[in-house]
Amino acid sequence: MGELPEPRPQFLHQKPTVSLVSPLSLFLQVMVNGDSERLSLLVNRGNADAVSQQMASHPKYLESFLRTQHYILHMDGPLPLPYRHYIAIMAAARYHCDYLVYLHSAQFLRVGGEPQWLQGLEAAPPRLRLLDHINKVLAHQPWLTGCSHIQTLLKTGEQCWSLAELVQAVVILAHCHSLCSFVFGCNTDADFVPLSSKSPNGTPPTFCPFDAANGNSLDSTCDMMCLKERIQKSQEERETQTLQQTGNTEKEMICFADASRFITDPDFCYQEFARKEEDHFQVFRVQDYSWEDHGFSLVNRLYSDIGHLLDDRFRSVARLPPLHSTDMKRAIWNYIHCVLGIRYDDYDYGEVNQLLERDLKLYIKAVACFPDSTKTPVCPLRWTPLKTSERIHINLLIMEARLQAELLYALRAITQYMIA
Amino acid sequence: MEKMSRVTTALGSNTISGQTMFCHLDAPANAISVCRDATQVVVAGRNIFKIYTLEEEQFAEKLNLRVGRKPSLNFSCADVMWHQMEENLLATAATNGAVVTWNLGKPSRNKQDQLFTEHKRTVNKVCFHPTEVYMLLSGSQDGFMKCFDLRKKESVSTFSGQSESVRDVQFSMKDYFTFAASFENGNVQLWDIRRPDRYERMFTAHTGPVFCCDWHPDDRGWLATGGRDKMVKVWDMTTNRAKEIYCVQTIASVARVKWRPERKFHLATCSMMVDHNIYVWDIRRPFIPFATFEEHKDVTTGIVWRHQHDPQFLLSGSKDSTLYQHMFRDATRPVDKANPEGLCFGLLGDLAFAAKESLITSDANRKPYPGGDRRYPMFFFKKPDPTEQFAHVSSALSVFETDLDSHRMDWFVKTAQLYLLSGKPFAELCDHNAKVAQELKRPQVSTTWTMLRIMFSDPANLAASGPNHNLSKLGTLPLMNSFSLKDLGSGMGAESRLERSKGESRQDNIHLEPGNSYISNNEENEETEGSEGHPEYMFGDAELDDDDLYSMEHDNQTEEQEYTLPQEAFQLRHEIMDNPSAPEHLQQDKADSPHVSGNEAEVTCLTPIESFSLISISQPLFSPHLPASFFCPIVREMLSYYAEQGDVQMAVSVLIVLGDRIRKEIDDLTQEHWYMSYIDLLQRFELWNVSNEVIKLSTCSAITCLNQTSTTLHINCSNCKRPMSNKGWICDRCHQCASVCAVCHHVVKGLFVWCQGCSHGGHLEHMMNWLKSSAHCPAGCGHLCEYT
């Protein structure tokens, strides 16, 4: 952001007129620079939220991210605007992400949402309450998403959803869930300290018990033990920290609502994806249902143009400069998909262990699966000796991989519903 | 299968016969392939790899190639191909990246022959050379294509597409050395099998992945491609640049495309998502499938014509775990169910209607449209093409012109061209636009502009110069005169006049007050127009009964009912009459007020602002410094009203002219919606300049960014003809200055003008000067350049 565009003749800043054509390729350059310029201006002016500020080091990606977000929250679509923000609140609440809950509460009110709804899920219309289940499942154990969930929502009745509405809702849910990972990973949430919501009550963290017996081939058993241990340790650290923090919180920050009001079953959280013979949750094979071949076509059909926008996001994250090596990026991506039960036939998962240090794997898993500051220590980042730029890059990968994973599960369920 | 039919085709020595039939597979299929003599078919998928024989009435499982207790991923097939010359030879593409060949002649249970594990990612496609026995080609997700000689253990050559994943590879049927590859990023490449270093040609065929391609079996130049963008395109590859010659738009992404044997223009397609049917298209009739097979319950993953010279049998495998043989005779023909009728509105309100000729003639006793619309029956006969098997329908096309409305949109075009939206002080813009509207006989709009000027102008300025100046200007307009007809006391007459001038299309109003109407009082008007008193009169009016004025507004809004307006006029007038103390000559202005109130009764009471400083009488009711924001709700309603009436032009123009004065009052979505509608209309009328201006002046980010799309300009170096990737004026490759002025031989860093005939050029000024004195190109190429 700090770089200033190089000085160049003033007239080039003007928009090219149609009738006169300059043969200079500079124009091209200006347009390209112009974009990032505008972006950094936007960011510097402080208009951009904390998330955009973090992403601003990757302007191309930021652009496609913002475009998607703008499209699903503000542009044409089957859902009314307040609904969209409310769904976003529900999604963020799953991870107690105060930052996003606050942000969307404010936007919810701004687009004319009923203030009463913010009192909690019970105050919301039944149609939105119906989404709670799929919200829960997608957030923590997306492989449980089944055709039956879709069927329940679409079952004709007074409160039924249309397919197009449901697809938009699912896209918002997946977008916000994965954004929670990013917010958590970049510690944005910690900078944002709303009043009251984080009360250190001294109770030990309700950390999800891991099924250590079911470790998969990636020696995750050991990982998880380790993770647990560290969580305990830094939990204590954190408590003292929060106590200090509450002293000097800014009083004008008013948190509209405590996140847990928008969810049910708060103990439901990520569990190791088990691959047992008797388990009826089959591994999701990308070769049988992929974003490029299947997901895109379906989502674009039911919610026009979103496919291209999401596609653009996935592509631009793939185009980010390689992280140490291209294999490393692929390893991170596939590892995240793997912990969510998605496997690639053409990938040797031994590579993950070779390329990713255990600390990094822990970090990735924590950000991807437990981006919840009430359950995982606020700052898992010090576990790894990551540079800030690397951290942001990895967080972007995590966010996009999670987004795609959730979308794949949800869209496959919708496909199954449509066939049945 | 209720309608079973039996077909027997003689093909040389072979005889194929059969019927529509199917069998259940144990697992979803990913691909199928048929052996050369059309007697056996292989089905491959993640959990299935079997060979079935095609019998008269059923499929019979012949061989299961998937052996072993826990088959490896090498058995998980993305694609399969049966060799067309060697009947024991099969190749599969495995999802784990392996390319496997199978030899059915092996005595053991496991028929696996060779295993190539050179690809790093899933192999999407394998393809045997049509005539060369040992040559196999593969295309993979890792972006590489590999050519294998089956007598060797390793690939003999690797082709790097450099453009993402390879989705399909196909050897040309006729060119021994050529193959085509399609890519995930929309490109198609042609390669010479002998030259692995570089593709022969590349072009972008689709937006998004190109899932499949297929060479025409007879015509060497034709390549069909299908993509995620739901299109099937046929390319003529014989010309220098691949030329799209046919395009079929389907309803879902195209997963496979296969030319139909013996039918030059037919091809079959199936989809990867949502749509389970198989379509056979006549590419010359791209709007409706020639035939449809609707048997599958899930997406069709593989289609293949059973015999390469028999167009009657199509085999298909599907995710629903069935294998079908479709008889062409049993296909659904969508054309039979189609309704060959069309209806379309023209830009200027014309209506075209095409229907089956028989339908129209039988309807001869139909009454012509009221209003004497003309009807032009036109008949188009197409010479029947014997190769087309489409049912021929002759249709009659009728065009209905609406006389009354035919020039209805003229005002739109004129208004768009003449309005000024920026560049002058606010008051002048309003006046100018009012004038434009007047000239186009749209008094209501005109008055709205005038009122806007009054409402939002700074009172102080107005007092100084505004009103007098404006009024005198307006006085010269013919229509303004009609307002002032109502002068001097006879409020009634004036108003009826007004009604008339306002509602040109609404004739009804006139007869309401025929007696009182004055015809033309131009001279009088001129006298009175300059008088500064009228607004004040208005004020008095409002003072008397402003509640009534406000309430009237509602009637006005429902203007579509012709009679509401006169009513309102009466009411107003009534009050005016009640006020005998008002100076006579001021009443003229009052006549103005109902006119305005046609839209906005409240507006009338706003005039005091202006009048305040002009008139010595101070009014007790209203503070002279009524802030402009006071009017915002009214203006907002007015804009919505115009927009709802379909006059989005007015809404947008006012929005732009008022700018910040009103922008905050209207929510962004609505604004954007108006802008979009107006820009759309402007572009339909090809008013590009106006639409551009509107885009430029709009304050919505979503609109202004319209002007910032596709502004990229790609430039080639004028010396080496390669793209200039770097900024600056020196080409990276040939290290020459690009774009040198032909006159002064310096680099042109500003505007470059060039001759489209010889493409030499230079500084605009230099070229102008040169061509004044000489007709030839300054570069000395001998071209006779022309500068206009």
Side-chain angles (χ1 to χ4, degrees):
Chain A
M1 272 175 296
E3 325 162 7
L4 285 168
E6 329 165 9
R8 64 177 77 84
Q10 194 56 45
F11 69 90
L12 284 172
H13 284 280
Q14 295 162 0
K15 261 177 232 147
T17 42
V18 181
S19 52
L20 300 166
V21 178
S22 159
L24 311 175
S25 59
L26 257 177
F27 268 130
L28 181 104
Q29 212 63 33
V30 170
M31 282 326 292
V32 172
N33 285 356
D35 278 346
S36 43
E37 230 174 86
R38 249 188 300 133
L39 279 175
S40 11
L41 268 181
L42 191 96
V43 171
N44 288 337
R45 248 187 290 145
N47 283 359
D49 54 8
V51 168
S52 308
Q53 282 177 14
Q54 299 272 13
M55 290 178 192
S57 46
H58 303 288
K60 281 255 160 100
Y61 173 80
L62 174 60
E63 200 187 334
S64 79
F65 171 83
L66 288 178
R67 201 181 292 144
T68 317
Q69 183 167 264
H70 181 70
Y71 185 78
I72 59 178
L73 291 175
H74 306 289
M75 299 295 281
D76 288 348
L79 287 177
L81 294 182
Y83 267 54
R84 303 183 194 183
H85 289 294
Y86 200 83
I87 292 169
I89 296 171
M90 288 169 67
R94 259 336 302 181
Y95 297 117
H96 301 95
C97 180
D98 293 320
Y99 171 73
L100 288 179
V101 169
Y102 174 82
L103 197 79
H104 285 289
S105 300
Q107 292 195 23
F108 171 77
L109 292 176
R110 202 187 307 151
V111 297
E114 187 64 55
Q116 289 228 297
W117 295 5
L118 292 182
Q119 285 174 0
L121 201 57
E122 310 82 57
R127 231 150 72 90
L128 284 171
R129 265 182 278 150
L130 276 178
L131 270 190
D132 181 57
H133 188 69
I134 198 165
N135 178 24
K136 180 176 86 177
V137 169
L138 277 178
H140 303 292
Q141 298 179 26
W143 54 88
L144 295 178
T145 320
C147 157
S148 58
H149 295 125
I150 307 295
Q151 218 159 5
T152 327
L153 288 165
L154 297 179
K155 199 164 55 193
T156 45
E158 229 167 278
Q159 306 301 338
C160 80
W161 286 76
S162 78
L163 206 48
E165 288 171 331
L166 180 63
V167 167
Q168 192 184 9
V170 160
V171 171
I172 295 175
L173 286 175
H175 169 79
C176 286
H177 289 153
S178 56
L179 190 55
C180 284
S181 282
F182 184 82
V183 167
F184 175 78
C186 287
N187 226 359
T188 315
D189 207 15
D191 304 339
F192 167 85
V193 189
L195 274 183
S196 80
S197 67
K198 281 190 221 160
S199 57
N201 47 11
T203 48
T206 52
F207 197 72
C208 187
F210 295 105
D211 197 352
N214 285 334
N216 61 13
S217 59
L218 302 174
D219 70 289
S220 63
T221 330
C222 183
D223 288 354
M224 294 327 288
M225 296 303 287
C226 192
L227 188 63
K228 237 168 154 180
E229 213 172 274
R230 290 183 188 219
I231 284 161
Q232 298 282 8
K233 213 189 288 169
S234 58
Q235 179 70 24
E236 290 155 23
E237 241 173 79
R238 189 185 129 235
E239 271 164 28
T240 47
Q241 223 176 36
T242 355
L243 277 172
Q244 288 165 354
Q245 269 180 355
T246 35
N248 49 5
T249 27
E250 298 152 351
K251 296 291 182 226
E252 66 264 34
M253 283 285 208
I254 296 154
C255 188
F256 280 41
D258 178 17
S260 52
R261 290 186 214 161
F262 300 106
I263 54 169
T264 58
D265 194 4
D267 293 333
F268 188 87
C269 65
Y270 178 79
Q271 288 201 325
E272 205 59 48
F273 179 80
R275 243 190 104 191
K276 286 176 289 181
E277 287 302 317
E278 68 267 32
D279 208 328
H280 64 282
F281 303 122
Q282 294 223 323
V283 173
F284 188 114
R285 298 275 177 190
V286 167
Q287 270 71 17
D288 291 345
Y289 199 98
S290 69
W291 165 257
E292 287 80 14
D293 293 2
H294 306 90
F296 172 91
S297 300
L298 182 68
V299 79
N300 214 37
R301 163 177 295 247
L302 295 171
Y303 180 16
S304 59
D305 290 343
I306 190 69
H308 294 287
L309 291 166
L310 291 168
D311 212 36
D312 197 42
R313 264 179 80 170
F314 297 138
R315 274 164 191 273
S316 51
V317 85
R319 269 199 298 262
L320 292 182
L323 195 81
H324 301 302
S325 68
T326 33
D327 288 344
M328 173 105 161
K329 268 167 84 172
R330 193 170 170 220
I332 294 175
W333 185 277
N334 287 356
Y335 177 63
I336 298 160
H337 274 186
C338 172
V339 296
L340 295 172
I342 298 177
R343 293 297 181 104
Y344 291 76
D345 280 348
D346 54 359
Y347 191 69
D348 173 12
Y349 284 85
E351 260 182 46
V352 171
N353 288 335
Q354 279 169 27
L355 289 168
L356 308 185
E357 290 168 33
R358 225 171 59 167
D359 276 351
L360 184 58
K361 274 165 69 182
L362 276 176
Y363 171 71
I364 292 171
K365 192 156 187 172
V367 173
C369 307
F370 306 97
D372 186 338
S373 48
T374 61
K375 292 177 181 166
T376 318
V378 180
C379 192
L381 319 168
R382 17 188 137 103
W383 301 346
T384 52
L386 280 178
K387 280 185 281 176
T388 318
S389 63
E390 285 177 334
R391 207 178 71 201
I392 290 174
H393 192 154
I394 290 177
N395 286 334
L396 288 179
L397 278 172
I398 297 173
M399 172 163 70
E400 294 302 316
R402 269 209 62 181
L403 174 67
Q404 193 177 78
E406 273 186 42
L407 284 173
L408 282 176
Y409 277 116
L411 292 172
R412 187 178 66 165
I414 292 173
T415 310
Q416 284 163 354
Y417 166 82
M418 288 169 82
I419 291 168
Chain B
M1 306 302 98
E2 309 99 287
K3 40 172 190 173
M4 290 197 178
S5 56
R6 192 154 304 206
V7 174
T8 307
T9 324
L11 293 161
S13 56
N14 291 336
T15 302
I16 297 180
S17 65
Q19 63 190 28
T20 295
M21 60 186 185
F22 76 101
C23 75
H24 286 290
L25 311 170
D26 311 324
N30 277 346
I32 61 172
S33 186
V34 74
C35 75
R36 182 188 165 82
D37 62 6
T39 54
Q40 297 173 68
V41 58
V42 57
V43 181
R46 171 173 294 282
N47 294 312
I48 183 173
F49 190 20
K50 281 181 180 174
I51 291 176
Y52 289 85
T53 50
L54 288 150
E55 295 174 0
E56 278 280 301
E57 290 173 5
Q58 59 175 7
F59 291 99
E61 183 177 328
K62 188 191 168 201
L63 185 63
N64 187 357
L65 288 154
R66 196 180 159 80
V67 293
R69 191 171 298 160
K70 200 172 175 235
S72 76
L73 278 175
N74 291 341
F75 285 92
S76 165
C77 306
D79 190 36
V80 63
M81 183 158 179
W82 204 314
H83 203 292
Q84 292 303 296
M85 297 173 64
E86 180 61 61
E87 65 173 15
N88 278 333
L89 193 54
L90 291 161
T92 57
T95 52
N96 65 356
V99 174
V100 194
T101 59
W102 311 82
N103 184 353
L104 301 181
K106 271 194 169 182
S108 62
R109 263 189 80 224
N110 189 347
K111 310 285 185 195
Q112 182 173 324
D113 191 17
Q114 296 231 59
L115 179 69
F116 303 98
T117 51
E118 293 180 35
H119 283 296
K120 292 204 174 59
R121 305 282 305 269
T122 299
V123 179
N124 288 317
K125 194 75 189 175
V126 284
C127 183
F128 281 114
H129 195 279
T131 51
E132 196 63 47
V133 180
Y134 295 109
M135 198 184 284
L136 175 67
L137 189 65
S138 66
S140 158
Q141 198 75 14
D142 62 14
F144 293 102
M145 295 144 278
K146 285 180 186 286
C147 183
F148 301 95
D149 183 330
L150 299 183
R151 292 163 297 196
K152 294 181 182 166
K153 294 272 174 225
E154 284 166 356
S155 64
V156 288
S157 45
T158 301
F159 309 86
S160 169
Q162 314 258 342
S163 42
E164 299 190 27
S165 311
V166 187
R167 299 310 302 241
D168 200 356
V169 283
Q170 291 287 342
F171 275 111
S172 164
M173 295 294 203
K174 303 287 174 184
D175 278 333
Y176 184 89
F177 296 112
T178 306
F179 72 89
S182 74
F183 291 85
E184 194 144 301
N185 62 0
N187 286 343
V188 170
Q189 295 177 351
L190 284 199
W191 288 82
D192 187 316
I193 200 84
R194 298 161 298 185
R195 285 196 58 192
D197 54 323
R198 195 183 149 77
Y199 52 81
E200 298 289 298
R201 71 166 40 163
M202 173 165 84
F203 59 96
T204 301
H206 293 265
T207 52
V210 187
F211 286 138
C212 52
C213 59
D214 195 31
W215 289 96
H216 197 284
D218 303 321
D219 198 314
R220 69 191 295 151
W222 284 14
L223 180 71
T225 59
R228 196 173 70 180
D229 59 1
K230 307 180 188 174
M231 310 255 232
V232 181
K233 291 180 181 176
V234 179
W235 304 86
D236 183 356
M237 309 294 285
T238 52
T239 48
N240 273 336
R241 304 193 57 181
K243 196 171 119 204
E244 181 188 324
I245 46 175
Y246 293 103
C247 178
V248 177
Q249 177 93 47
T250 68
I251 58 166
S253 61
V254 182
R256 312 264 175 190
V257 55
K258 286 274 176 259
W259 288 99
R260 189 176 173 203
E262 311 288 303
R263 295 287 185 277
K264 189 177 178 193
F265 294 100
H266 287 192
L267 48 77
T269 66
C270 65
S271 164
M272 201 170 268
M273 268 310 274
V274 189
D275 186 12
H276 308 160
N277 296 343
I278 302 163
Y279 300 102
V280 178
W281 300 88
D282 184 319
I283 49 176
R284 296 163 299 179
R285 297 294 195 102
F287 304 107
I288 193 159
F290 177 70
T292 311
F293 300 102
E294 297 166 344
E295 280 86 358
H296 285 297
K297 305 278 189 298
D298 197 344
V299 286
T300 309
T301 48
I303 49 175
V304 61
W305 295 95
R306 184 171 163 187
H307 191 278
Q308 48 184 317
H309 293 292
D310 187 339
Q312 302 304 325
F313 297 84
L314 180 69
L315 301 172
S316 70
S318 160
K319 282 247 195 260
D320 66 4
S321 306
T322 57
L323 173 66
Y324 259 92
Q325 170 169 276
H326 308 276
M327 295 300 306
F328 214 81
R329 188 165 293 180
D330 295 337
T332 316
R333 301 295 187 98
V335 173
D336 298 342
K337 296 180 199 156
N339 229 352
E341 283 168 20
L343 184 71
C344 189
F345 264 111
L347 190 58
L348 298 172
D350 294 350
L351 178 68
F353 174 63
K356 257 187 194 168
E357 206 185 334
S358 54
L359 205 72
I360 292 220
T361 46
S362 70
D363 213 10
N365 56 351
R366 187 179 46 176
K367 284 199 184 112
Y369 277 73
D373 296 321
R374 279 169 288 161
R375 208 179 115 193
Y376 302 114
M378 287 181 255
F379 299 94
F380 299 102
F381 289 108
K382 201 176 168 187
K383 211 170 144 193
D385 182 343
T387 61
E388 261 183 41
Q389 293 169 357
F390 264 90
H392 284 275
V393 180
S394 65
S395 302
L397 174 70
S398 322
V399 177
F400 301 96
E401 279 181 355
T402 39
D403 266 344
L404 280 176
D405 292 347
S406 62
H407 42 96
R408 206 182 61 193
M409 290 305 277
D410 283 358
W411 61 265
F412 178 86
V413 177
K414 288 224 176 79
T415 313
Q417 285 165 338
L418 294 174
Y419 267 3
L420 280 182
L421 301 177
S422 66
K424 286 191 174 176
F426 170 71
E428 280 180 46
L429 290 179
C430 287
D431 285 335
H432 174 90
N433 294 343
K435 199 167 126 191
V436 169
Q438 286 265 337
E439 276 166 359
L440 292 168
K441 303 202 171 61
R442 302 174 70 214
Q444 179 177 323
V445 171
S446 166
T447 315
T448 308
W449 280 112
T450 314
M451 296 309 300
L452 285 171
R453 194 247 306 149
I454 294 167
M455 284 189 281
F456 285 94
S457 291
D458 182 15
N461 281 344
L462 258 185
S465 65
N468 287 332
H469 169 68
N470 293 329
L471 282 175
S472 59
K473 218 169 158 192
L474 291 175
T476 62
L477 296 176
L479 252 181
M480 207 50 189
N481 293 343
S482 73
F483 290 168
S484 46
L485 293 179
K486 46 320 203 9
D487 67 332
L488 297 183
S490 77
M492 296 262 280
E495 270 159 28
S496 71
R497 284 263 65 198
L498 258 186
E499 285 310 320
R500 195 220 284 221
S501 61
K502 176 205 256 168
E504 307 248 292
S505 54
R506 268 180 267 123
Q507 307 277 329
D508 318 49
N509 294 336
I510 291 177
H511 65 77
L512 291 175
E513 311 261 331
N516 288 338
S517 63
Y518 289 75
I519 304 237
S520 90
N521 299 345
N522 280 340
E523 309 82 24
E524 284 158 353
N525 294 334
E526 250 121 53
E527 289 171 22
T528 49
E529 261 159 25
S531 77
E532 304 174 334
H534 12 150
E536 184 210 345
Y537 179 78
M538 282 310 304
F539 198 59
D541 195 13
E543 200 181 29
L544 281 179
D545 203 347
D546 45 21
D547 285 344
D548 279 6
L549 276 173
Y550 278 106
S551 66
M552 276 185 294
E553 169 208 358
H554 295 288
D555 296 343
N556 302 333
Q557 298 290 4
T558 62
E559 216 191 352
E560 275 160 316
Q561 298 152 21
E562 258 104 300
Y563 289 93
T564 54
L565 268 173
Q567 274 174 2
E568 157 211 341
F570 281 122
Q571 236 178 348
L572 262 183
R573 183 194 337 129
H574 205 57
E575 273 146 31
I576 292 160
M577 296 304 272
D578 282 348
N579 186 9
S581 65
E584 287 279 291
H585 73 282
L586 294 184
Q587 268 183 343
Q588 175 201 8
D589 191 52
K590 170 229 241 115
D592 240 353
S593 71
H595 173 78
V596 172
S597 70
N599 281 323
E600 302 267 317
E602 315 100 295
V603 167
T604 55
C605 58
L606 307 176
T607 41
I609 295 195
E610 178 205 354
S611 63
F612 166 71
S613 54
L614 299 175
I615 303 148
S616 52
I617 316 156
S618 69
Q619 298 300 333
L621 260 188
F622 289 97
S623 126
H625 297 293
L626 211 48
S629 61
F630 174 80
F631 308 109
C632 285
I634 301 158
V635 176
R636 188 179 56 209
E637 269 177 55
M638 177 203 72
L639 291 184
S640 316
Y641 167 76
Y642 272 115
E644 271 162 35
Q645 292 291 305
D647 189 0
V648 75
Q649 181 177 50
M650 182 66 184
V652 172
S653 303
V654 172
L655 203 57
I656 292 175
V657 170
L658 285 181
D660 286 336
R661 298 177 183 88
I662 191 71
R663 184 153 42 97
K664 301 252 159 41
E665 297 287 317
I666 298 168
D667 72 296
D668 288 347
L669 264 183
T670 316
Q671 286 192 32
E672 197 182 311
H673 186 64
W674 290 349
Y675 274 119
M676 288 309 281
S677 322
Y678 187 38
I679 289 164
D680 185 46
L681 268 175
L682 288 172
Q683 292 183 344
R684 275 167 193 255
F685 281 100
E686 303 185 352
L687 297 165
W688 312 112
N689 289 341
V690 185
S691 107
N692 208 39
E693 192 189 356
V694 170
I695 292 173
K696 224 162 90 185
L697 291 172
S698 79
T699 45
C700 291
S701 53
I703 303 297
T704 41
C705 73
L706 288 178
N707 254 358
Q708 285 158 25
T709 53
S710 25
T711 46
T712 312
L713 198 64
H714 297 278
I715 291 150
N716 285 0
C717 169
S718 55
N719 295 314
C720 63
K721 312 284 186 277
R722 292 293 185 75
M724 304 246 308
S725 49
N726 213 350
K727 62 185 166 188
W729 297 281
I730 294 182
C731 174
D732 284 347
R733 296 170 206 268
C734 61
H735 302 289
Q736 298 267 348
C737 285
S739 58
V740 176
C741 174
V743 180
C744 69
H745 299 284
H746 284 105
V747 173
V748 185
K749 296 190 180 179
L751 303 176
F752 189 91
V753 61
W754 77 94
C755 167
Q756 300 195 337
C758 64
S759 65
H760 291 112
H763 291 105
L764 180 62
E765 244 176 88
H766 293 168
M767 296 305 288
M768 272 164 71
N769 289 335
W770 177 275
L771 291 168
K772 264 182 211 159
S773 53
S774 167
H776 288 275
C777 174
C781 67
H783 186 258
L784 284 167
C785 301
E786 208 170 301
Y787 181 84
T788 46

